[in-house]
Amino acid sequence: MLFRILALPATVAASVISPRSSGTTCENPAVRKEWRTLSTDERNSYISAVKCLATKPSMLGLNTTLYDDFPYVHNALNDDIHFVASFLPWHRYFVHIYEQTLKDCGYTGVAAYWDWTLDSDDTSKSSIWDPITGVGGNGSPEKTVQIGWSTYKCVVDGPFKDLVPAYVTNTYQPHCLRRTFNNGTEQIGNMLSEAYTPDAVAKINALTDYVNFHNKLEGGPHGAIHSAVAGDMMPATSPNGKFSEDPETRTNAYGGIKTQSRPGQPAPAEATLDDILPMAKLAKDIPVRDVMSTQTDLLCYTY
Ligand SMILES: *[C@@H]1O[C@H](CO)[C@@H](O)[C@H](O)[C@H]1NC(C)=O
Ligand SMILES: *[C@@H]1O[C@H](CO)[C@@H](O)[C@H](O)[C@H]1NC(C)=O
Ligand SMILES: [Cu+2]
């Protein structure tokens, strides 16, 4: 399963604009919850909805499931949405679409996220991996899958042990859900937690320059969690639930490179709020400015 929730604070004192768009009907924003604060019913409802996605047809016209549409689109757009200015707004919009799709499949709660900082003392022992109250644990050496030249460990407990993700990158290759907890070597160790301790995340949140903030967040905690869980990666999410310590100035702070910077290529254009977030038919493509605030008709949530 794949869900991410990223806050989009940070900033540069770019423009100072009210955090709410005018005319919003977002009077009572949904309050997103950390996984472990969901009630048993909410957790079960969430898990059933993820499983439901895996029983519905693709909305992209693929011969795979609605569940697979999300990793498929995320991967297809990989180079357009990572290490560029739109990393945060794109993922914010993507998570919103995922949440809506879960609701269409019967989920009745609010979007959930995993606060990595709560586990940084010993990530591999987190209750998030619990087979009953969590999402199941590490891959098992007892059940493996061969993909290309590599052997991967399959998740064998918890609600997603029978999930069969269809794609490896964008190649059709149905396989078990894979996880290989690690610390950059073969060891599990503490799963690169230096990058997402409460302190490390607080330092990033305190950055006032959008470009700096986005680079440190993407390259730091976000990258560490991807690498440390490995395999198909799992429900990642927000290290940082808070929308912003300084919404007045931060809401419309945006900038940086519009496309990835490549050696030998001309320098990328400067990103703007009018840049379009591509969603590859999963939803409407919209401009960055439409997701700069979470308290609008479109998004309407808080933490
Ligand atoms: C689905 O499409 C893939 C190509 O993307 C093909 O390899 C596979 O055989 C198809 N599966 C079914 C069940 O039609
Ligand atoms: C990984 O964990 C092992 C065992 O705990 C430790 O010896 C090693 O230094 C760790 N490596 C990193 C990069 O944290
Ligand atoms: Cu991504």
Side-chain angles (χ1 to χ4, degrees):
M1 95 172 148
L2 184 148
F3 74 95
R4 287 197 193 156
I5 289 163
L6 293 161
L8 207 186
T11 106
V12 181
S15 40
V16 179
I17 301 182
S18 155
R20 289 201 175 191
S21 320
S22 52
T24 180
T25 54
C26 178
E27 297 289 323
N28 295 300
V31 181
R32 289 186 170 178
K33 292 187 189 166
E34 212 278 335
W35 178 260
R36 287 157 281 197
T37 69
L38 296 180
S39 67
T40 304
D41 281 355
E42 286 171 323
R43 275 200 311 264
N44 291 342
S45 168
Y46 182 91
I47 286 164
S48 304
V50 174
K51 290 180 172 171
C52 164
L53 298 185
T55 67
K56 302 274 187 213
S58 165
M59 64 165 121
L60 306 175
L62 298 168
N63 67 4
T64 43
T65 74
L66 183 55
Y67 168 84
D68 295 303
D69 284 353
F70 288 86
Y72 186 90
V73 164
H74 180 261
N75 188 73
L77 296 172
N78 197 29
D79 289 352
D80 301 322
I81 58 172
H82 297 107
F83 301 102
V84 292
S86 62
F87 169 71
L88 291 170
W90 188 88
H91 286 80
R92 172 179 280 177
Y93 183 39
F94 185 67
V95 168
H96 168 72
I97 297 159
Y98 185 67
E99 181 185 8
Q100 292 309 308
T101 313
L102 286 177
K103 285 183 177 166
D104 293 345
C105 248
Y107 182 50
T108 51
V110 295
Y113 61 92
W114 171 24
D115 183 348
W116 313 321
T117 66
L118 299 178
D119 295 315
S120 62
D121 279 347
D122 198 347
T123 311
S124 69
K125 301 272 163 35
S126 171
S127 64
I128 199 99
W129 312 121
D130 189 277
I132 309 293
T133 62
V135 296
N138 196 6
S140 162
E142 308 294 312
K143 185 183 174 201
T144 59
V145 59
Q146 183 78 23
I147 295 177
W149 297 104
S150 306
T151 303
Y152 296 90
K153 293 185 286 178
C154 301
V155 171
V156 293
D157 65 1
F160 304 112
K161 66 179 169 51
D162 298 321
L163 191 70
V164 184
Y167 296 98
V168 174
T169 66
N170 278 6
T171 303
Y172 178 79
Q173 192 160 10
H175 59 280
C176 65
L177 181 65
R178 300 166 293 162
R179 287 182 197 144
T180 303
F181 292 178
N182 74 92
N183 74 344
T185 65
E186 293 298 302
Q187 311 266 6
I188 292 178
N190 201 15
M191 297 177 70
L192 308 175
S193 66
E194 322 75 70
Y196 52 89
T197 59
D199 240 30
V201 171
K203 282 207 178 80
I204 294 172
N205 280 340
L207 295 170
T208 54
D209 173 82
Y210 178 81
V211 175
N212 199 10
F213 170 80
H214 142 248
N215 285 332
K216 296 260 162 48
L217 181 63
E218 184 170 10
H222 159 261
I225 283 288
H226 273 291
S227 309
V229 176
D232 286 293
M233 165 54 199
M234 93 136 277
T237 44
S238 175
N240 160 28
K242 300 290 177 331
F243 174 55
S244 168
E245 274 139 42
D246 187 7
E248 302 294 324
T249 53
R250 290 185 171 194
T251 298
N252 280 293
Y254 189 64
I257 50 175
K258 184 168 168 167
T259 53
Q260 285 186 354
S261 142
R262 298 236 165 74
Q265 301 282 318
E270 182 71 15
T272 76
L273 293 173
D274 295 320
D275 295 344
I276 298 297
L277 299 172
M279 215 32 90
K281 301 203 169 77
L282 203 53
K284 206 168 118 192
D285 295 353
I286 60 172
V288 171
R289 77 169 67 253
D290 288 5
V291 295
M292 291 303 285
S293 167
T294 64
Q295 296 190 34
T296 56
D297 296 355
L298 176 68
L299 300 177
C300 202
Y301 69 81
T302 183
Y303 288 95

